[in-house]
């Protein structure tokens, strides 16, 4: 029998507020342990939470970006459980009245468009970080009470690939909405995957397991693939799938059970008496909407209609918020959207892909790229030279001006100089001259190549071509 | 409302409390008493929308402004155990 | 009368007149602590004499410079030990926090520091404020100054007994279901629980967050008004803090003619003979002063008490989860983290606290939430509505504070709920978030004080203060002091 995988994702994203969600401690990453902490986020007795207004704005923005309905009445609840990373022994979260409900997101995967339903998005606080050492466990509460949103999807994905594309699309949206930096290496974006399998064609769902805390797309893919195989082989052996929480172990590339006691958890959610309800007026929601940064769909439309980019170029640019931001920055100093798009999507992407780098890791700024394009535009260097310069910029981080002058790359635009070289080439290649004059058009290509060679590529091939033709036709 | 000794044990586990057999029996008796008393809340035929808060207040926010944190020394001052700049707790089994 | 037995307003006037110094007051209070502490108890931590005297000295310097900060500048006071004091141990009278020294202040304490008050010590209490006799203290003891064989009431027993015995001029207590009013009633002093949200809760170790409120325990309602003026302040660190303009002491007046007082006769009937007689006499007194009595019926009183125990236990079970030996407090190591949690908490919490945690866990647990916790919230909403309706008909509600007067210490109760039944008149103010006072209204035949409860509408503190002020102008129960000779009584404990 063939089995189909059914996947739902819970995505945790840290909001990029300056201060934590319930206290004034900084959210800056990389501080020394336990230095961004106060009585509130350490759960000290008597300390009280006060909700960060920006966090509310951000979750509303995320909700709007993901086509959710925004709740007019919302509240914070306590989720009670003991764990050393949770200093109050409860997490402030949302239970039955989250800020956002009922959204969706369209993704491209397996060559088709799919719609993934978004059940809800709620606001909660993050926990501290445990560091395991042989002598005991160390705890850093800098991350405690950082603002998190949890985006819960419907079980709408049918392959690991779809799940990954959905996760990537969510990341992209959050970046465009400027609500999270989504830095996965800093743990700002984490996934829990709910996975079940069922025979193809079945309408009912199988028993699902939850794989917790996947911190990269690769892990997400591997964990789902692994879990799918595990469940299928269990069913084929006639075993029952148990509803349980699992963890992906990256070093052993396998899944381990986290909590075996199915009913050990009873979170006893109840409204947090220390926090008051949040009532969002339609006017407030509209205000957030009106201040929304442009979302990828909108941008794509603009690129196609106003910039006359191809559908493909527009798609590539808007599928990656950093690339898109870089592109728009280039345009600020070089207002040729089509040419710029071509350079960003083709040349720059090729370099990035070769070295497996991200746009934000580029050693040069968008204005440098704009300067390079200006140099090509003005004819100072050729396009071909430009590619070389870009590669150098990528390698060294130097500015295009620096590279051009250091390498003496200035294109020869002095016609007298070029004419002298052309004369020499014509004199040294009588056979080709004869061929051309006998009607073999192609012969000119060889002659142009000879001039370019003599100038070490510093001539503008277009000009060389024209000069040679004039001389040959004399 | 009946409360079994298993119920007591389960509540104890959730509360991270341990009781010996004698204490469990005592606690069971106490809880039965208390719950019997608490059952009076069901005497009203009240289908009123329960408000989470009796205060007429809502939308109490703070601005997103960073304020001074505690020093690491202050943070760790009351820690039963610490190491370097960290709180130290007994070994947490990652795969409990 | 000794300085330590005088009310705040009087000492304050004497300081202004420079007829005494703050140091003299502090000295007399210290002397009384020496005389009474062994028998009455009431403190968990008493500050060093040097520290107290330095603080009084500073007031004297300010007075000399003509810069006295407030009416409590130079006045010795006690804080219930659930209010965080930076650098001073704060225990909630629990073994779990016996070594806890906060690195931050409760906002109310900040206000008293700014006002120039002289902190004498941290007052004893029932562990985590759970109890009504102060017999659940794990770290100290408190007895009734009128008879040290008897209980002081709780949970703010220390805050009450220290003031009644002259070991402090005033104190702050906290009231979740009557914890200020009960001990005030038992010890014959004035206790006041403000409207929920009036006094900041930041830094006050929570029992039940939606019910807890800090308030003063004093020897005179004028003192109450003075202290309220210093502590009823908006706090941006407490989301449930309200913005209220106050000038209670200035606006105090005894013209209560025409005030309508709501009375549920069945509540008065439910009390012991002496209490009933005293309360009925008080009602007559109010009538004489021109007040009108309006008949009310709180037929939901038992439901209200049940709702109170459900809500307070539920919140407590969550609020007290943080005392797990991980980041502060005492840890009792086990083999792993879970064992450590269990060992620490089982060792550290007393039986009453454990009962409430278990009860709270039960009412929130899956399958019971709707039947108990949610229902209690509904009933709470209903009770609030009933009060709103009652305050259409009257300006305040009068009742006894307790069913009986202070009883013998060490009395074993067969059922824990019996203890809950002893304080049935007080939780309604917390459930509805209303201001409420207990003022002395007589003495039982055995000499123990009796208290009268007045409940006002939200934020109508001034009405209650004026009612109590008018009453105290006409009566002298609040002027009586227990004998603090210190002789012979020491042997009793």
């Amino acid at each position: 029998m063939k089995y189909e995988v059914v996947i739902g994702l819970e995505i945790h994203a840290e909001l990029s507020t300056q201060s934590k969600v319930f206290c004034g401690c900084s959210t800056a990453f990389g501080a020394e342990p336990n230095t961004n902490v106060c009585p509130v986020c350490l759960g000290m007795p008597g300390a009280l939470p006060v909700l960060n207004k920006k966090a509310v704005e951000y979750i509303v923005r995320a909700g709007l970006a993901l086509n959710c309905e925004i709740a007019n009445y919302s509240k914070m609840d306590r989720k009670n459980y003991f764990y050393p990373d949770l200093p109050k022994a409860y997490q402030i979260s949302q239970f039955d009245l989250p800020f956002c409900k009922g959204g969706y997101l369209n993704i491209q995967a397996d060559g088709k468009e799919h719609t993934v339903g978004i059940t809800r998005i709620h606001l909660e606080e993050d926990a501290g970080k445990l560091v395991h050492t042989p002598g005991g466990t160390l705890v850093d509460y800098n991350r405690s009470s950082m603002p998190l949103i949890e985006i819960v999807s419907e079980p709408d994905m049918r392959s690991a690939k779809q799940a990954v594309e959905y996760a990537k699309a969510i990341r992209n949206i959050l970046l465009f909405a400027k609500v999270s930096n989504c830095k996965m290496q800093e743990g700002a974006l984490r996934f829990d995957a709910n996975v079940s399998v069922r025979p193809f064609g079945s309408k009912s769902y199988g028993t699902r397991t939850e794989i917790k805390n996947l911190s990269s797309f690769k892990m997400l893919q591997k964990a789902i693939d692994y879990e799918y195989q595990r469940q299928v082989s269990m069913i084929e052996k006639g075993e029952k799938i148990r509803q349980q929480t699992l963890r992906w172990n990256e070093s052993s590339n396998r899944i381990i059970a986290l909590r075996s006691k199915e009913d050990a958890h009873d979170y006893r959610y109840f409204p947090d008496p220390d926090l008051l309800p949040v009532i969002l007026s339609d006017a407030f929601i509209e205000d957030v909407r009106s201040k929304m940064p442009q979302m990828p769909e909108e941008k794509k439309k603009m690129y196609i209609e106003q910039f006359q980019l191809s559908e493909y170029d527009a798609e590539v640019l808007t599928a990656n918020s950093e690339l898109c931001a870089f592109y728009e920055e280039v345009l600020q100093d070089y207002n040729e959207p089509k040419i710029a798009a071509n350079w960003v999507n083709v040349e720059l992407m090729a370099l990035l892909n070769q070295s497996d780098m991200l746009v934000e890791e580029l050693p040069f700024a968008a204005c440098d790229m704009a300067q390079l394009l200006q140099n090509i535009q003005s004819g100072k260097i050729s396009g071909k030279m430009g590619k070389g310069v870009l590669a150098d910029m990528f390698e060294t981080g130097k500015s295009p001006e620096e590279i051009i002058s250091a390498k003496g790359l200035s294109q020869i635009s002095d016609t007298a100089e070029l004419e002298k070289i052309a004369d020499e080439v014509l004199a040294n290649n009588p056979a080709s001259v004869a061929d051309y004059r006998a009607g073999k058009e192609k012969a000119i290509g060889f002659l142009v190549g000879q001039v370019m060679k003599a100038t070490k590529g510093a001539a503008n091939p277009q000009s060389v071509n024209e000069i040679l033709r004039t001389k040959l036709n004399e | 409302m009946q409360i079994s000794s298993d119920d007591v044990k389960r509540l104890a586990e959730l509360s991270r409390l341990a009781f010996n057999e004698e204490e469990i029996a005592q606690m069971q008796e106490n809880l039965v008493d208390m719950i019997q008393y608490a059952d009076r809340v069901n005497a009203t035929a009240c289908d009123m929308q329960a408000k989470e808060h009796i205060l007429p207040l809502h939308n109490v926010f703070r601005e997103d402004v960073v304020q001074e944190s505690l020093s690491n020394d202050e943070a760790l001052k009351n820690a039963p155990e610490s190491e370097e700049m960290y709180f130290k707790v007994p070994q947490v089994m990652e795969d409990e | 009368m000794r300085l330590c037995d005088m009310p705040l307003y009087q000492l304050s006037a004497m300081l202004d007149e420079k007829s005494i110094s703050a140091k003299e007051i502090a000295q007399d209070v210290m002397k009384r602590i020496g005389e009474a502490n062994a028998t009455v108890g009431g403190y968990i931590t008493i500050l060093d004499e040097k520290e107290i005297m330095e603080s009084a000295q500073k007031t004297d310097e300010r007075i000399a410079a003509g810069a006295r900060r407030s009416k409590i500048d130079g006045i010795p006071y006690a804080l219930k030990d659930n209010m965080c004091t930076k650098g001073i141990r704060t225990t909630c009278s629990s073994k779990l926090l016996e070594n806890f020294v906060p690195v931050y202040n409760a906002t109310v304490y900040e206000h008293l520091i700014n006002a120039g008050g002289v902190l004498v010590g941290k007052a004893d209490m029932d562990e985590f404020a759970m109890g009504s006799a102060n017999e659940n203290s794990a770290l100290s003891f408190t007895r009734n100054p009128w008879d040290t064989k008897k209980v002081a009431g709780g949970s703010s027993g220390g805050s009450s007994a220290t003031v009644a015995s002259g070991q402090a001029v005033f104190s702050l207590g906290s009231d979740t279901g009557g914890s200020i009013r009960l001990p005030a009633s038992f010890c014959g002093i004035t206790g006041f629980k403000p409207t929920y949200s009036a006094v900041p809760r930041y830094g006050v170790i929570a029992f039940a967050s939606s019910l807890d409120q800090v308030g003063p325990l004093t020897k005179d309602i004028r003192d109450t008004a003075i202290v309220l003026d210093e502590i009823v302040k908006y706090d941006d660190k407490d989301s449930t803090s309200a913005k209220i303009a106050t000038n209670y002491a200035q606006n105090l007046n005894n013209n209560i003619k025409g005030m309508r007082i709501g009375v549920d006769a069945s509540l008065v009937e439910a009390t012991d003979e002496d209490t009933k007689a005293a309360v009925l006499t008080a009602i007559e007194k109010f009538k004489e002063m021109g007040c009108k009595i309006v008949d009310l019926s709180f037929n939901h009183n038992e439901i209200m008490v049940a709702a109170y125990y459900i809500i307070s236990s539920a919140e407590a079970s969550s609020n007290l989860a943080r005392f797990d030996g991980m980041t502060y407090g005492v840890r009792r190591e086990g083999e792993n983290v879970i064992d450590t949690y269990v060992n620490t908490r089982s060792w550290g919490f007393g039986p009453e606290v454990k009962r409430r945690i278990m009860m709270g866990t039960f009412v929130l647990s899956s399958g019971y939430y709707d039947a108990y916790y949610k229902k209690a919230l509904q009933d709470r909403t209903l009770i609030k509505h009933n009060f709103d309706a009652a305050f259409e008909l009257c300006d305040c509600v009068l009742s006894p504070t307790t069913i009986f007067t202070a009883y013998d210490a060490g009395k074993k109760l067969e059922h824990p709920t019996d203890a809950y039944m002893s304080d049935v008149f007080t939780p309604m103010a917390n459930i509805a978030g209303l201001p409420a006072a207990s003022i002395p209204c007589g003495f039982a035949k055995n000499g123990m004080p009796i208290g009268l409860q007045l409940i006002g509408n939200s934020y109508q503190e001034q009405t209650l203060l004026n009612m109590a002020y008018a009453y105290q102008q006409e009566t002298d129960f609040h002027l009586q002091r227990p004998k603090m000779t210190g002789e012979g009584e020491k042997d009793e404990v």
Side-chain angles (χ1 to χ4, degrees):
Chain A
M1 202 188 295
K2 285 281 225 168
Y3 291 92
E4 171 183 61
V5 66
V6 175
I7 308 158
L9 290 188
E10 290 165 21
I11 300 186
H12 290 90
E14 244 164 37
L15 297 178
S16 43
T17 53
Q18 298 294 304
S19 63
K20 293 185 178 181
V21 62
F22 298 119
C23 65
C25 288
S26 165
T27 54
F29 182 80
E32 289 207 276
N34 296 302
T35 53
N36 288 342
V37 291
C38 73
V40 178
C41 56
L42 286 175
M44 288 189 160
L48 296 171
V50 184
L51 183 55
N52 185 335
K53 192 176 183 183
K54 200 93 197 167
V56 176
E57 268 173 49
Y58 280 179
I59 190 172
V60 170
R61 209 194 270 175
L64 292 172
L66 292 168
N67 311 298
C68 289
E69 196 184 304
I70 309 300
N72 290 116
Y73 186 95
S74 233
K75 67 178 167 79
M76 303 306 297
D77 299 285
R78 291 186 185 178
K79 178 182 183 182
N80 295 284
Y81 66 97
F82 289 87
Y83 208 66
D85 62 5
L86 197 63
K88 298 189 294 293
Y90 61 81
Q91 179 193 31
I92 304 177
S93 181
Q94 295 191 288
F95 183 54
D96 54 338
L97 297 173
F99 282 108
C100 318
K101 268 161 95 170
Y104 64 88
L105 182 59
N106 293 326
I107 56 161
Q108 302 283 336
D110 307 325
K112 276 192 299 203
E113 182 165 280
H114 304 266
T115 299
V116 179
I118 290 166
T119 318
R120 57 184 276 165
I121 310 176
H122 66 254
L123 183 66
E124 62 186 27
E125 58 179 339
D126 208 344
K129 217 173 146 180
L130 302 183
V131 181
H132 301 284
T133 71
T137 299
L138 306 180
V139 197
D140 174 8
Y141 291 108
N142 282 349
R143 207 179 65 185
S144 169
S145 214
M146 296 261 260
L148 275 187
I149 53 173
E150 180 173 332
I151 305 166
V152 183
S153 85
E154 293 290 317
D156 283 348
M157 288 153 277
R158 296 291 175 269
S159 71
K161 176 85 187 137
Q162 283 180 21
V164 169
E165 285 311 313
Y166 165 76
K168 284 183 173 169
I170 289 280
R171 177 178 177 275
N172 197 39
I173 293 274
L174 297 179
L175 286 169
F176 271 100
K178 295 188 169 50
V179 297
S180 172
N181 67 25
C182 293
K183 285 187 180 160
M184 305 188 66
Q185 66 279 18
E186 294 177 7
L189 197 67
R190 280 128 52 194
F191 318 114
D192 298 340
N194 288 302
V195 180
S196 65
V197 300
R198 63 180 177 189
F200 270 103
S202 167
K203 284 272 181 284
S204 61
Y205 294 118
T207 305
R208 70 188 160 91
T209 57
E210 183 179 13
I211 317 166
K212 283 260 179 214
N213 238 335
L214 301 162
S215 56
S216 74
F217 297 121
K218 226 175 260 173
M219 253 196 233
L220 179 63
Q221 166 105 37
K222 281 196 288 187
I224 294 171
D225 284 341
Y226 183 98
E227 181 58 11
Y228 170 71
Q229 293 299 341
R230 192 185 72 89
Q231 289 190 15
V232 168
S233 74
M234 277 181 77
I235 292 172
E236 284 176 346
K237 273 187 269 176
E239 291 172 37
K240 250 195 146 155
I241 311 283
R242 276 199 309 141
Q243 186 170 344
Q244 61 185 150
T245 308
L246 308 167
R247 194 172 65 85
W248 176 252
N249 185 309
E250 184 64 6
S251 50
S252 65
N253 261 313
R254 52 189 289 266
I255 268 169
I256 32 192
L258 206 57
R259 292 164 187 143
S260 43
K261 280 189 191 156
E262 283 171 45
D263 57 352
H265 282 265
D266 180 346
Y267 291 122
R268 289 158 285 136
Y269 280 99
F270 75 107
D272 192 332
D274 289 329
L275 290 159
L276 294 161
V278 178
I279 298 177
L280 299 179
S281 65
D282 292 340
F284 173 89
I285 297 165
E286 279 320 303
D287 187 56
V288 174
R289 196 195 299 275
S290 70
K291 288 176 188 153
M292 285 274 284
Q294 233 177 3
M295 287 293 108
E297 279 303 308
E298 251 178 288
K299 274 198 195 294
K300 196 173 152 186
K301 207 170 151 221
M302 179 182 87
Y303 290 175
I304 294 169
E305 286 171 7
Q306 290 178 30
F307 295 175
Q308 268 106 47
L309 300 195
S310 68
E311 168 100 25
Y312 173 81
D313 273 344
E315 175 64 39
V316 172
L317 285 169
T318 54
N320 179 335
S321 79
E322 287 95 351
L323 190 71
C324 190
F326 187 87
Y327 168 68
E328 293 196 352
E329 258 188 85
V330 170
L331 291 189
Q332 290 191 353
D333 293 318
Y334 178 75
N335 199 12
E336 292 287 347
K338 281 190 82 164
I339 300 173
N342 196 41
W343 275 83
V344 168
N345 278 353
V346 181
E347 307 305 335
L348 188 65
M349 279 304 267
L351 290 167
L352 286 169
N353 289 340
Q354 274 162 31
S355 51
D356 205 16
M357 260 169 74
L358 298 169
V359 179
E360 55 269 38
E361 293 165 342
L362 279 176
F364 58 86
C367 60
D368 293 324
M369 178 107 185
Q371 205 177 64
L372 172 68
L373 299 182
Q374 279 162 2
N375 275 315
I376 298 167
Q377 180 95 358
S378 69
K380 187 169 177 193
I381 57 168
S382 67
K384 195 179 165 197
M385 289 162 108
K387 286 176 199 175
V389 173
L390 185 64
D392 271 6
M393 287 163 66
F394 192 79
E395 200 72 40
T396 64
K398 287 181 181 158
S399 75
E401 297 296 348
E402 240 181 301
I403 295 165
I404 291 166
S405 72
K407 294 207 165 169
L409 284 182
S410 228
Q411 188 163 263
I412 297 169
S413 39
D414 180 346
T415 324
E417 176 88 358
L418 276 183
E419 281 190 23
K420 218 175 95 193
I421 297 169
D423 285 338
E424 277 170 36
V425 167
L426 291 177
N428 295 338
N429 295 285
S432 297
V433 172
D435 281 352
Y436 178 82
R437 291 198 168 129
K440 283 192 182 168
E441 271 281 320
K442 276 185 182 165
I444 193 139
F446 174 76
L447 293 168
V448 170
Q450 291 304 301
V451 175
M452 293 307 287
K453 201 173 156 189
T455 60
K456 296 195 182 92
N460 183 332
Q462 199 62 42
S463 324
V464 173
N465 198 301
E466 277 167 28
I467 289 168
L468 285 172
R469 275 181 203 279
T470 317
K471 290 194 182 291
L472 288 166
N473 294 339
E474 268 169 8
Chain B
M1 180 70 223
Q2 283 307 302
I3 292 286
S4 68
S5 65
D6 280 348
D7 291 333
V8 176
K9 285 177 192 163
R10 181 168 151 62
L11 293 173
E13 196 185 325
L14 282 171
S15 311
R16 294 287 187 265
L17 291 170
F19 298 106
N20 62 33
E21 286 305 317
E22 196 187 324
E23 288 169 327
I24 285 176
Q26 181 68 52
M27 187 57 76
Q28 186 181 348
E29 200 182 307
N30 291 168
L31 280 173
V32 167
D33 270 0
M34 289 195 278
I35 292 163
Q36 198 170 34
Y37 191 81
D39 272 326
R40 291 165 199 237
V41 292
N42 290 305
T44 55
C46 168
D47 54 359
M48 191 171 271
Q49 170 86 40
K51 284 213 187 100
E52 294 84 19
H53 283 272
I54 46 159
L55 282 180
L57 301 172
H58 57 85
N59 292 10
V60 177
F61 300 121
R62 41 175 288 276
E63 293 301 319
D64 184 24
V65 176
V66 175
Q67 282 167 340
E68 206 182 334
S69 294
L70 293 175
S71 69
N72 183 261
D73 280 348
E74 288 174 309
L76 296 176
K77 192 180 171 201
N78 282 285
E81 203 181 348
S82 62
E83 191 173 300
E84 304 287 334
M85 298 177 81
Y86 292 91
F87 289 86
K88 192 171 180 188
V89 300
Q91 196 78 56
V92 175
M93 295 305 173
E94 264 206 69
D95 314 312
E96 68 185 81
Chain C
M1 194 184 269
R2 273 181 49 182
L3 294 175
C4 66
D5 285 323
M6 287 183 184
L8 190 173
Y9 79 90
Q10 213 171 333
L11 291 168
S12 178
M14 288 160 81
L15 283 171
D16 281 339
E17 289 161 11
K18 299 190 178 133
S19 58
I20 47 158
S21 69
K23 275 170 89 169
E24 284 173 272
I25 304 175
Q27 248 146 12
D28 197 46
V29 168
M30 294 301 291
K31 190 172 163 223
R32 175 56 61 79
I33 291 174
E35 293 158 358
N37 198 243
T39 51
V40 175
Y43 280 110
I44 289 174
T45 303
I46 299 170
L47 270 60
D48 284 347
E49 184 162 358
K50 196 169 155 261
E51 226 175 312
I52 296 169
M53 295 316 289
E54 274 172 14
S55 171
Q57 170 72 33
K58 279 184 190 149
T59 298
D60 286 333
E61 286 164 14
R62 284 194 289 269
I63 292 173
R68 188 160 179 236
R69 288 180 181 166
S70 74
K71 286 183 182 161
I72 63 172
D73 197 350
I75 305 294
Y77 71 96
L79 277 184
K80 188 176 183 176
D81 207 22
N82 60 353
M83 298 174 208
C84 288
T85 43
K86 191 172 174 175
I88 302 167
R89 191 170 78 120
T90 300
T91 68
C92 259
S93 201
S94 177
K95 289 196 284 180
L96 275 182
L97 289 178
E98 66 186 350
N99 60 355
F100 180 64
V101 180
V103 293
Y104 50 99
N105 282 331
T107 304
V108 277
Y109 176 47
E110 289 275 331
H111 290 327
L112 295 185
I113 293 173
N114 294 336
V118 176
L119 179 66
V120 175
K122 302 298 292 289
D124 190 29
M125 56 188 282
D126 284 304
E127 185 182 4
F128 288 107
M130 294 172 184
S132 47
N134 212 117
E135 292 199 286
N136 300 332
S137 169
L139 302 180
S140 187
F141 79 100
T142 302
R143 288 291 172 81
N144 198 307
W146 293 90
D147 178 350
T148 53
K149 286 195 291 295
K150 297 200 185 298
V151 299
S155 67
S156 309
S159 300
S160 185
T162 51
V163 172
S165 61
Q167 298 183 79
V169 174
F170 76 93
S171 70
L172 294 188
S174 68
D175 190 315
T176 306
S179 281
I180 288 175
R181 291 159 285 157
L182 278 169
S185 171
F186 278 11
C187 295
I189 60 171
T190 299
F192 199 102
K193 179 204 95 74
T195 307
Y196 183 78
S197 79
V199 179
R201 291 187 298 119
Y202 186 88
V204 181
I205 302 178
F207 162 10
S209 315
S210 75
L211 302 158
D212 295 347
Q213 192 61 195
V214 167
L217 293 104
T218 64
K219 297 181 175 113
D220 190 292
I221 198 70
R222 282 172 278 193
D223 299 4
T224 308
I226 290 167
V227 179
L228 285 179
D229 277 332
E230 298 302 331
I231 62 171
V232 176
K233 285 186 173 144
Y234 170 72
D235 181 11
D236 61 8
K237 293 207 288 282
D238 175 358
S239 304
T240 60
S241 169
K243 290 176 178 150
I244 311 161
T246 67
N247 201 354
Y248 299 127
Q250 194 75 42
N251 295 337
L252 205 58
N253 79 74
N254 60 359
N255 182 9
I256 58 167
K257 216 170 164 202
M259 295 297 272
R260 299 162 302 164
I261 301 174
V263 177
D264 180 341
S266 73
L267 299 190
V268 183
E269 281 300 320
T271 62
D272 69 20
E273 210 179 301
D274 293 344
T275 305
K276 185 177 151 187
V279 172
L280 289 175
T281 309
I283 292 172
E284 287 310 311
K285 183 59 93 186
F286 277 112
K287 280 190 194 161
E288 280 170 32
M289 290 188 280
C291 296
K292 210 179 139 228
I293 303 299
V294 178
D295 287 334
L296 290 179
S297 172
F298 287 103
N299 50 7
H300 288 130
N301 200 44
E302 285 192 340
I303 293 161
M304 180 278 301
V305 177
Y308 164 76
Y309 277 102
I310 291 170
I311 292 168
S312 62
S313 302
E315 291 180 12
S317 73
S318 174
N319 283 334
L320 270 57
R322 68 184 67 191
F323 303 107
D324 60 6
M326 292 296 129
T327 49
Y328 47 79
V330 178
R331 177 189 292 174
R332 301 287 272 195
E333 204 90 21
E335 275 181 33
N336 54 39
V337 157
I338 295 182
D339 286 351
T340 305
Y341 283 138
V342 172
N343 288 357
T344 301
R345 292 165 61 80
S346 301
W347 168 82
F349 289 132
E352 182 59 29
V353 176
K354 286 179 185 168
R355 263 194 295 273
R356 310 258 189 147
I357 291 174
M358 291 286 282
M359 179 67 181
T361 305
F362 171 76
V363 297
L364 290 176
S365 63
S366 104
Y368 300 105
Y369 181 93
D370 284 351
Y372 292 98
Y373 183 75
K374 196 175 165 203
K375 192 72 180 64
L377 284 188
Q378 283 178 333
D379 287 348
R380 181 179 196 175
T381 312
L382 175 72
I383 290 157
K384 174 82 173 113
H385 276 267
N386 289 351
F387 265 109
D388 288 345
F391 285 117
E392 297 281 315
L393 306 171
C394 61
D395 301 295
C396 72
V397 173
L398 181 152
S399 78
T401 307
T402 58
I403 292 186
F404 36 68
T405 55
Y407 47 87
D408 287 344
K411 198 172 91 179
K412 274 264 174 286
L413 293 171
E414 207 177 313
H415 299 283
T417 43
D418 291 349
Y420 304 166
M421 286 314 296
S422 76
D423 33 278
V424 288
F425 303 143
T426 46
M428 54 184 153
N430 305 78
I431 282 287
L434 305 170
S438 176
I439 53 174
C441 72
F443 290 87
K445 288 183 203 81
N446 66 358
M448 298 312 287
I450 298 168
L452 177 78
Q453 178 174 244
L454 294 169
I455 301 177
N457 203 352
S458 295
Y459 306 115
Q460 301 304 310
E461 270 76 0
Q462 192 73 54
T463 304
L464 287 189
L465 292 168
N466 290 350
M467 296 289 293
Y469 180 50
Y471 182 76
Q472 291 189 350
Q473 295 287 293
E474 295 292 318
T475 56
D476 64 356
F477 306 114
H478 65 292
L479 301 176
Q480 310 301 314
R481 299 287 181 268
K483 287 195 179 64
M484 284 293 127
T485 58
E487 275 163 33
E489 291 176 357
K490 267 176 194 156
D491 304 329
E492 290 172 11
V493 174

